[in-house]
Amino acid sequence: MLRSEINELIREGDAFFRQYGFTLPPFAYWSPGDFRARKAEAGLIVEQGLGWDVTDYGDGHYDTLGLFLFTLRNGNAGDLGNPKGGRVYAEKLLISDDHQISPMHRHIVKTEDIINRGGAPLVLELWTDGPEGIDLEAEVRVMTDGLWRTLPAGGHLKLMPGESVTLTPDIWHAFWGEGGRVCIGEVSTVNDDRTDNIFEAPIGRFSTIEEDAEPLHLLVSDYETKL
């Protein structure tokens, strides 16, 4: 992806979040220089992967295979099972455009609620995990806003604004907006996006970026190379 394209997507994404009542935390608006100047105090932001994330999954076709994210909070997986507790949760805001697919995947640890926060309907294609990957025959049972629903293998679940679904690690899922852009909330178990995703196809998690402009804001994937 071009850095100039990412910069414009960040501007548009921030405006879209605000349209549905979401104002991002102050660090979202730090320039790269601000981030470098405050690197010592921003250790948890970097360590926990908080911030902007614009991905085409390494495919190069963001409009049809891509996702826009901002990670608001994330904890430490080491606190899972800690009797004293800790931040064992995460929260994200996402944007999916009309038929812009977030590809088929599941998670190793993360259970997540996917919430339509506003805009177009959100469609999810759902499968159950089997001994050798996706089970092509098994029904899919998921909780939607406290109510259990059963779908056929590969069934499509449509979430209207305000509706949500709970996805456990054994549920394969892909999703996209239907007829327009959708603002998506994600509330989940603490997770590491570099290690917790299993994709059906051999694709990457982050974009390869062509630096045709200076970054407006750093992406999570920039932290290792630009700080």
Side-chain angles (χ1 to χ4, degrees):
M1 296 185 71
L2 296 175
R3 180 67 71 171
S4 58
E5 177 188 9
I6 290 170
N7 289 345
E8 185 57 32
L9 287 168
I10 287 175
R11 292 186 184 98
E12 293 177 357
D14 182 45
F16 189 69
F17 289 149
R18 289 176 183 271
Q19 181 179 338
Y20 293 98
F22 294 102
T23 303
L24 300 178
F27 76 86
Y29 305 106
W30 290 357
S31 68
D34 294 333
F35 228 124
R36 285 188 284 269
R38 303 182 70 169
K39 181 178 178 180
E41 64 180 299
L44 285 178
I45 294 173
V46 174
E47 177 185 332
Q48 297 173 354
L50 309 183
W52 301 101
D53 184 357
V54 183
T55 183
D56 63 0
Y57 299 96
D59 181 70
H61 299 90
Y62 176 79
D63 289 344
T64 55
L65 186 71
L67 190 62
F68 184 97
L69 311 91
F70 190 94
T71 300
L72 294 156
R73 64 201 85 251
N74 196 12
N76 188 334
D79 285 328
L80 291 169
N82 183 347
K84 294 184 178 180
R87 297 180 73 212
V88 294
Y89 51 85
E91 181 186 8
K92 300 177 183 180
L93 286 172
L94 305 83
I95 299 173
S96 186
D97 218 330
D98 184 21
H99 288 89
Q100 180 189 38
I101 295 173
S102 181
M104 189 62 62
H105 65 287
R106 70 172 184 86
H107 302 288
I108 299 170
V109 174
K110 182 170 73 171
T111 292
E112 58 188 338
D113 278 12
I114 299 296
I115 310 145
N116 186 333
R117 294 294 193 187
L122 176 66
V123 178
L124 300 95
E125 180 180 328
L126 303 176
W127 303 82
T128 296
D129 191 40
E132 299 181 1
I134 293 175
D135 190 321
L136 299 178
E137 298 182 358
E139 292 182 330
V140 183
R141 190 168 184 257
V142 291
M143 183 183 294
T144 58
D145 299 302
L147 301 175
W148 287 103
R149 293 184 60 176
T150 301
L151 288 80
H156 286 186
L157 175 67
K158 182 183 293 190
L159 299 179
M160 303 303 291
E163 294 183 322
S164 70
V165 61
T166 300
L167 302 175
T168 48
D170 61 327
I171 302 296
W172 289 86
H173 52 285
F175 56 85
W176 57 90
E178 182 178 79
R181 184 174 292 182
V182 53
C183 181
I184 305 165
E186 177 185 309
V187 177
S188 75
T189 314
V190 58
N191 83 291
D192 183 344
D193 272 329
R194 298 182 184 278
T195 62
D196 195 55
N197 299 291
I198 300 177
F199 291 101
E200 179 190 19
I203 59 176
R205 171 58 182 81
F206 298 103
S207 301
T208 299
I209 301 173
E210 182 179 336
E211 302 289 356
D212 68 326
E214 290 297 315
L216 176 65
H217 305 298
L218 295 182
L219 302 179
V220 169
S221 56
D222 288 325
Y223 293 163
E224 289 185 2
T225 59
K226 294 187 180 298
L227 289 179

